[in-house]
Amino acid sequence: MRAWVVRTPGSPGRPGRIDQVELPVPRPAVDELLVRVRACGVCRTDLHVRDGDLPPHKTPVVPGHEAVGEVVAAGPGAEGPPVGTRVGIPWLRRTCGRCRYCLRGQENLCPSSEYTGWDADGGYAEYATVPAAYAYELPGGYADEELAPLLCAGIIGYRALRRAELPPGGRLGIYGFGGSAHLTAQVAIGRGAVVHVLTRSAAARALALELGAASARDAYDRPPEPLDAAILFAPVGDLAPVALEALDGGGTLSVAGIYLSDIPPLDYERHLFHERTLRSVTANTREDGREFLNAAAAHRLRVTVTPYPFERADAALDDLAADRVQGVAVLRMEGSYGPQ
């Protein structure tokens, strides 16, 4: 099969690269499904894997953890969607199920957790495997390329929204407006929130207003009113004190990314006093994914994608790094389908 791999990740000041190669079609383990990939989202985490911002866990590795495809085979012990089912392969690949975190419903903090496209080969390939218990059955009414971003951008954004503890009808600030943010904004607006978007991209600001944001300003601007909650999607630590200062008393800033550049020193009175809270987001639980996909089934989301043919996966990552992608870049395989 055709696949893209990261052989040698980059280092500070030297971006990495991905190479197209031929690999054997993987064989599913006893509890896994084999999936013929039809589309795969291109996530900023893939950039962090390519460029060495995340330490290598497997070398070489096939990146990609927003894969949509069809089950074509199963291991002898796999209990899950049958052959022919359209499924999603997400970021969270395995947890131990036995540690204190797993037992109290926080499997996203499992110290033995594994991740698709980092610990195991992912969706930048014609075939991929996934443990049956971690695959998602997907809602109808969406094309393959629309579903792909839901599997990470959507789910992580949903968890970040939960962690932000936005009150009903509250005022939410969203810093950065890429793939995850434009989905999260729609969920929040659908629940009655007033959303203010702060991002450096003029095109992203225009999209935010189209999707129903109350305002859209530059990333370092002050929102037009104090915020009850904020989510930082941009991996820019300099924005953390900016967002904290924009919070009303009791507000929470949720940092959505797996990687963030250094946060500058905080001034206690300006940034944290009046019971403001700074929270991180670490991966997600399967329950987060199920809740979000149920919401996507009940309320049709507008998923903004920039499609790329499979052969241009390297260009898709370069464009993402240069902020040339509107919405989410998605690799399209031959045989991808429209809404089902």
Side-chain angles (χ1 to χ4, degrees), residues 90-92 95 101 104-110 115 133-139 149-164 184 187 191 254 256 280-297 301:
W91 173 239
L92 183 66
T95 56
Y101 298 110
R104 69 190 189 203
Q106 293 177 297
E107 65 180 0
N108 59 306
L109 301 179
C110 174
Y115 300 94
Y134 292 80
Y136 289 114
E137 293 193 53
L138 299 170
L150 305 187
L151 293 166
C152 179
I155 293 172
I156 292 297
Y158 181 78
R159 183 167 184 85
L161 181 61
R162 290 182 59 188
R163 294 278 291 164
T184 306
V187 173
R191 294 179 172 181
S254 174
S280 66
V281 175
T282 300
N284 62 275
T285 67
R286 283 172 284 177
E287 185 59 28
D288 292 326
R290 288 188 285 265
E291 285 185 15
F292 172 71
L293 291 171
N294 286 339
L301 300 176

Side-chain angles (χ1 to χ4, degrees), residues 8 19 34-35 41 55-56 65 77 93-94 99 127 145 159 161 169 175 194 226 232 246 271 273 280 314 340:
T8 305
D19 299 297
L34 177 64
V35 176
H65 55 273
R93 184 177 180 85
R94 287 188 188 274
C99 70
Y127 291 87
E145 63 192 57
R159 183 167 184 85
L161 181 61
Y175 288 79
V194 176
L232 177 56
H271 302 131
F273 195 52
S280 66
D314 52 350
Q340 296 183 18

Side-chain angles (χ1 to χ4, degrees), residues 30-48:
V30 64
D31 63 342
E32 292 181 346
L33 307 173
L34 177 64
V35 176
R36 182 170 66 87
V37 178
R38 303 199 305 222
C40 187
V42 178
C43 178
R44 194 163 290 275
T45 302
D46 302 334
L47 266 184
H48 298 321

Side-chain angles (χ1 to χ4, degrees), residues 27 29 81 95 116 261-262 296 320 326 330 337:
R27 297 182 63 180
T95 56
T116 307
S261 61
D262 289 344
L320 179 61
Q326 180 80 332
V330 177
Y337 298 122

Side-chain angles (χ1 to χ4, degrees), residues 95 129 148 183 211 305 309:
T95 56
T129 61
L183 297 171
L211 295 176
V305 302

Side-chain angles (χ1 to χ4, degrees), residues 5-271:
V5 298
V6 177
R7 284 199 179 96
T8 305
S11 57
R14 185 184 66 84
R17 55 177 286 177
I18 59 173
D19 299 297
Q20 190 171 350
V21 298
E22 293 282 328
L23 295 176
V25 173
R27 297 182 63 180
V30 64
D31 63 342
E32 292 181 346
L33 307 173
L34 177 64
V35 176
R36 182 170 66 87
V37 178
R38 303 199 305 222
C40 187
V42 178
C43 178
R44 194 163 290 275
T45 302
D46 302 334
L47 266 184
H48 298 321
V49 170
R50 186 198 73 173
D51 292 344
D53 299 323
L54 295 176
H57 281 191
K58 178 181 184 295
T59 304
V61 67
V62 177
H65 55 273
E66 297 179 335
V68 174
E70 178 183 353
V71 179
V72 294
E79 297 182 5
V83 170
T85 305
R86 183 167 69 163
V87 298
I89 301 178
W91 173 239
L92 183 66
R93 184 177 180 85
R94 287 188 188 274
T95 56
C96 74
R98 301 182 301 274
C99 70
R100 64 188 184 278
Y101 298 110
C102 288
L103 294 176
R104 69 190 189 203
Q106 293 177 297
E107 65 180 0
N108 59 306
L109 301 179
C110 174
S112 302
S113 56
E114 298 178 6
Y115 300 94
T116 307
W118 192 21
D119 295 288
D121 287 339
Y124 287 24
E126 293 180 301
Y127 291 87
T129 61
V130 59
Y134 292 80
Y136 289 114
E137 293 193 53
L138 299 170
Y142 291 87
D144 294 338
E145 63 192 57
E146 294 176 307
L147 285 168
L150 305 187
L151 293 166
C152 179
I155 293 172
I156 292 297
Y158 181 78
R159 183 167 184 85
L161 181 61
R162 290 182 59 188
R163 294 278 291 164
E165 295 189 344
L166 179 69
R171 301 157 297 176
L172 174 68
I174 291 181
Y175 288 79
F177 203 71
S180 191
H182 92 284
L183 297 171
T184 306
Q186 292 178 70
V187 173
I189 291 167
R191 294 179 172 181
V194 176
V195 171
H196 300 289
V197 170
L198 301 111
T199 183
R200 66 183 182 179
S201 166
R205 292 195 295 269
L207 176 61
L209 294 174
E210 283 181 35
L211 295 176
S215 73
R217 298 183 175 184
D218 184 77
Y220 290 88
D221 286 348
R222 174 81 69 162
E225 58 182 335
L227 304 172
D228 297 305
I231 304 173
L232 177 56
F233 286 102
V236 181
D238 284 350
L239 286 172
V242 173
L244 284 166
E245 194 168 357
L247 292 175
D248 207 353
T252 297
L253 171 62
S254 174
V255 180
I258 189 173
Y259 169 82
L260 187 71
S261 61
D262 289 344
I263 296 175
L266 300 177
D267 180 281
Y268 179 70
E269 185 171 354
R270 287 174 56 199
H271 302 131

